Amino acid sequence: MNTETEQGGLATVRTGRLDLVPLAVAHAGEMAGVLADPALHTFIGGAPLTAPELRARYERLAAGSPDPAVVWCNWVVRVRAGGRLAGTVQATVTDGGRTAEVAWVIGTEWQGRGIAREAAGALVGLLAERGVRTVVAHVHPDHAASAAVARAAGLAPTDQEQDGEVRWELRP
């Protein structure tokens, strides 16, 4: 894994097959298609956002957290072979940079190829390099694929639940 150009304080992260590119409002159109499958919401609830709704969301995310003690880090996942976007990874960094809550979503078309595992692993590695001591993810107990991604990224389930999801943690 390596990092490249800085954009808005975030670097593009390169892995074997992927580029994690800092999220920009311009990604909303393509990402609306990537995230259009209602099945992506089976465990997290809600429904796919339209392109204009996603654009508004990305505008808020790009503006950054209104709380100066919270840093939002958001990337789109681009598969270098073909150059298409496949999903997103994100981290909400708190506790003076010592704790990060992470999440990932990969479009249905791209699932089953190890993309989420590769992207989440790169994200967790980057956070560790930047001094994050505790990485947290919340995974629905019936979402085996997401649990596998969390495990591959080095996180382990705890006995804690929040909003019906299991808290997973890594303390690098």
Side-chain angles (χ1 to χ4, degrees), residues 23-87:
L23 182 134
V25 175
H27 294 128
E30 184 176 354
M31 286 305 299
V34 171
L35 303 175
D37 186 353
L40 291 174
H41 296 268
T42 300
F43 297 107
I44 60 173
L49 298 177
T50 65
E53 290 168 332
L54 201 56
R55 181 176 195 73
R57 176 175 170 74
Y58 286 3
E59 286 171 353
R60 289 190 304 276
L61 291 173
S65 170
D67 181 345
V70 176
V71 178
W72 293 340
C73 304
N74 296 276
W75 292 265
V76 292
V77 177
R78 180 175 51 217
V79 179
R80 274 198 304 282
R84 292 181 50 211
L85 299 181

Side-chain angles (χ1 to χ4, degrees), residues 89-101:
V89 293
Q90 62 189 46
T92 300
V93 182
T94 59
D95 192 26
R98 293 183 295 273
T99 303
E101 187 161 330

Side-chain angles (χ1 to χ4, degrees), residues 1-16:
M1 174 186 68
N2 63 45
T3 57
E4 292 185 347
T5 54
E6 293 287 327
Q7 177 179 343
L10 293 179
T12 294
V13 179
R14 293 178 57 91
T15 69

Side-chain angles (χ1 to χ4, degrees), residues 126-140:
L126 177 67
L127 294 168
E129 288 173 10
R130 293 190 175 181
V132 171
R133 294 187 184 130
T134 303
V135 178
V136 175
H138 291 92
V139 177
H140 190 282

